[in-house]
Amino acid sequence: MGEDAESQGHIVAVRGAVIDVAFAGEGLPAIDDALFVRRDNGETIVAEVQSHLDPHRVRAIALQTTAGLRRGQRVEAAGGPIRVPVGDHVLGRLLDVTGRVADDGAPIPDDAPRRPIHRPPPSLAQQTGAAEIFSTGIKIIDLLTPLARGGKAAMFGGAGVGKTVLVMELIRAMVASYQGISVFAGVGERSREGHEMLLEMQTSGVLDRTVLVYGQMNEPPGARWRAPLTALTIAEYFRDERRQNVLLMMDNIFRFVQAGAEVSGLLGRLPSRVGYQPTLASEVAALQERIASVGEAAVTAIEAVYVPADDFTDPAVTTIAAHVDSMVVLSRAMAAEGMYPAIDPIASSSVLLDPLVVGENHARVATEARRVIEHYKELQDVISLLGVEELGAEDRRLVGRARRLQRFLTQPFDVTEAFTGEPGRSVPIADTIAGCEAILSGECDGWRESSLYMIGALDEARQKEESARSGTTTAPPA
């Protein structure tokens, strides 16, 4: 903005989270610029300009509750987008969408560096490709949907199939072996989930290298809509100015889309397909294209995506899926069978499952495992109608191997130990491939299926099987 008088305005209308502001000067604040409204009690409400109504009025979305605002109240234009604190001062802290501290700790110093939440993505020439595998210790992910260091992975699933548990386990597994900075964006999270995440970070001792940004369910849609941008701005600072690797976690990206649809409705825009905002594709792209690796510093993103009513053709789901390298799809049917993590081995995919990236052996075992499980799924209708005894000998053998493979790809998690009493397992990729290879070659055909359920490496199943045999059979005479 120019002169101070030109940056002053006043409220002419308040409708929920929508505020109309009149400015006396010639110039209006630009789209996405921040506005500050001072309450009578001294508190400041932050709003963001969304449209120009005429040469003197703008329409803005408030990022905090507007209760108590009145017409005529003074508004100040910031002269640019919302600026949030970045750098060492935010490590170990819990922030809201505007960068304010929300963890009852000391306020962030005024001299802390600040950056605008809106900025263009790095150019294609600056970006570096992702071809290095990020080992998670989770068997089914490492085998069938390998994650890339510097790539984007998304966990798709309906309500209650284990997205948040999987993301929390990935955070625990990856941060434990990760020397970079972790940034977590809680978008539309429940308060309980936020507390669990904070406790998980504290107990695992990684909070001092982590930044938590929350736009909770009970906050206005504007706060949920902009929370991912705040987290991304902090991640970009460490990537661009500190040249540090960043692990960026977002739970839940669907809530970001949902908040955008609410904002669009509040602004009076006509809805598009299935009631979503007409700007759905551009909003998702504006966020996702900023998640990129530049030079030596990589941003690795893990995103949870809620799938409404388990409908994977939903426009929000398909739009987000177009931007990710690895798609981890969670299945309600597998969760119902107790196959945790409930990842669908057929629907899940990764661009990294290529012999040139993971190696010939890994790609071959993964392809064969998928083929066997898919063949089993094709035969399930026949099995449920006639029984497995009606199948041919070769089909019966493949069904047995597919069932053992499915059970081997389950494993207990550290984050669920408090509920199950079973300590978590982390399995190296080499052990996962060796175990799957043994099952596919028929080495485990005579084993009980239960021996392979909820274990780590295949050696654990072998011990279970040997102890079961020694307990039920007598040793042969010497």
Side-chain angles (χ1 to χ4, degrees):
M1 299 298 293
E3 292 297 313
D4 196 53
E6 285 194 1
S7 68
Q8 302 292 331
H10 64 276
I11 294 175
V12 292
V14 181
R15 290 179 301 282
V18 179
I19 306 170
D20 289 355
V21 182
F23 288 88
E26 290 298 315
L28 287 178
I31 303 293
D32 291 336
D33 272 13
L35 304 177
F36 300 123
V37 187
R38 311 237 181 258
R39 286 184 190 271
D40 295 335
N41 63 4
E43 287 181 6
T44 302
I45 293 175
V46 181
E48 196 177 80
V49 176
Q50 291 302 315
S51 62
H52 293 170
L53 300 177
D54 59 39
H56 299 289
R57 290 185 306 146
V58 300
R59 181 160 287 167
I61 286 286
L63 305 190
Q64 289 106 356
T65 178
T66 55
L69 292 190
R70 52 182 169 75
R71 291 177 67 186
Q73 207 154 1
R74 203 182 74 175
V75 177
E76 189 179 332
I82 296 163
R83 297 176 71 84
V84 295
V86 295
D88 292 339
H89 293 289
V90 299
L91 291 175
R93 305 306 300 268
L94 192 153
L95 309 175
D96 70 3
V97 64
T98 60
R100 294 172 184 164
V101 173
D103 56 10
D104 295 331
I108 290 170
D110 293 335
D111 62 351
R114 290 173 186 270
R115 297 291 181 270
I117 66 168
H118 294 284
R119 59 179 291 188
S123 68
L124 202 58
Q126 291 176 289
Q127 295 181 30
T128 51
E132 187 185 343
I133 299 299
F134 209 148
S135 178
T136 65
I138 300 171
K139 291 181 286 190
I140 191 164
I141 289 180
D142 287 344
L143 179 72
L144 298 176
T145 61
L147 309 187
R149 188 184 294 274
K152 289 190 280 261
M155 318 289 156
F156 294 88
V161 295
K163 291 183 306 299
T164 299
V165 168
L166 185 57
V167 168
M168 284 178 71
E169 180 67 15
L170 278 168
I171 290 167
R172 194 214 59 74
M174 295 169 89
V175 169
S177 61
Y178 191 73
Q179 297 309 307
I181 301 297
S182 303
V183 181
F184 179 81
V187 188
E189 289 281 86
R190 303 170 184 87
S191 299
R192 170 187 60 77
E193 291 171 336
H195 284 298
E196 283 177 5
M197 181 63 67
L198 195 56
L199 285 170
E200 179 67 29
M201 293 288 186
Q202 285 170 337
T203 53
S204 57
V206 296
L207 190 61
D208 60 339
R209 289 188 286 117
T210 304
V211 186
L212 303 171
V213 179
Y214 276 91
Q216 291 183 173
M217 251 182 197
N218 60 338
E219 294 186 56
R224 287 178 271 127
W225 193 38
R226 291 313 188 204
L229 299 187
T230 301
L232 190 49
T233 301
I234 294 167
E236 285 172 334
Y237 173 83
F238 285 108
R239 178 195 71 191
D240 297 338
E241 299 185 38
R242 292 293 188 82
R243 296 286 184 263
Q244 286 178 282
N245 289 331
V246 182
L247 184 59
L248 177 65
M249 289 128 337
M250 298 196 201
D251 188 3
N252 184 308
I253 289 295
F254 177 79
R255 305 281 178 221
F256 159 75
V257 172
Q258 201 174 39
E262 289 176 51
V263 167
S264 184
L266 289 169
L267 294 171
R269 294 179 188 144
L270 285 172
S272 180
R273 207 157 45 115
V274 199
Y276 284 108
Q277 61 271 43
T279 52
L280 170 65
S282 58
E283 281 177 19
V284 171
L287 174 71
Q288 298 286 357
E289 287 180 9
R290 283 173 62 183
I291 304 171
S293 300
V294 177
E296 296 298 311
V299 175
T300 305
I302 296 172
E303 308 166 10
V305 185
Y306 167 68
V307 179
D310 291 343
D311 178 13
F312 285 87
T313 63
D314 186 88
V317 176
T318 55
T319 304
I320 295 165
H323 290 274
V324 299
D325 305 314
S326 302
M327 273 184 68
V328 179
V329 178
L330 289 109
S331 154
R332 192 170 301 282
M334 293 196 68
E337 290 175 24
M339 300 293 170
Y340 288 106
I343 295 169
D344 187 331
I346 310 304
S348 302
S349 62
S350 171
V351 296
L352 289 145
L353 197 57
D354 183 299
L356 296 173
V357 179
V358 297
E360 291 281 352
N361 193 42
H362 183 160
R364 180 183 56 77
V365 171
T367 305
E368 180 64 12
R370 264 216 187 96
R371 187 190 70 80
V372 169
I373 292 170
E374 195 163 13
H375 189 62
Y376 169 48
K377 285 184 183 283
E378 288 169 2
L379 293 171
Q380 271 182 327
D381 284 348
V382 176
I383 293 167
S384 58
L385 286 169
L386 304 174
V388 74
E389 296 80 12
E390 295 300 313
L391 298 175
E394 178 62 22
D395 282 344
R396 278 205 307 277
R397 188 161 54 249
L398 284 177
V399 165
R401 287 175 189 174
R403 288 176 61 85
R404 285 171 178 80
L405 203 54
Q406 281 184 330
R407 279 147 186 78
F408 175 64
L409 293 175
T410 63
Q411 78 190 79
F413 284 169
D414 275 313
V415 294
T416 57
E417 186 177 350
F419 312 109
T420 62
E422 185 77 21
R425 315 279 202 284
S426 179
V427 184
I429 295 179
D431 290 355
T432 300
I433 295 168
C436 290
E437 218 167 0
I439 293 167
L440 290 167
S441 67
E443 189 181 317
C444 311
D445 283 359
W447 295 11
R448 298 168 310 151
E449 290 178 5
S450 59
S451 296
L452 293 152
Y453 180 66
M454 283 293 168
I455 58 163
L458 194 67
D459 287 344
E460 199 177 329
R462 192 175 278 112
Q463 287 169 7
K464 273 189 181 180
E465 197 65 22
E466 285 170 1
S467 62
R469 283 176 183 167
S470 62
T472 55
T473 60
T474 55

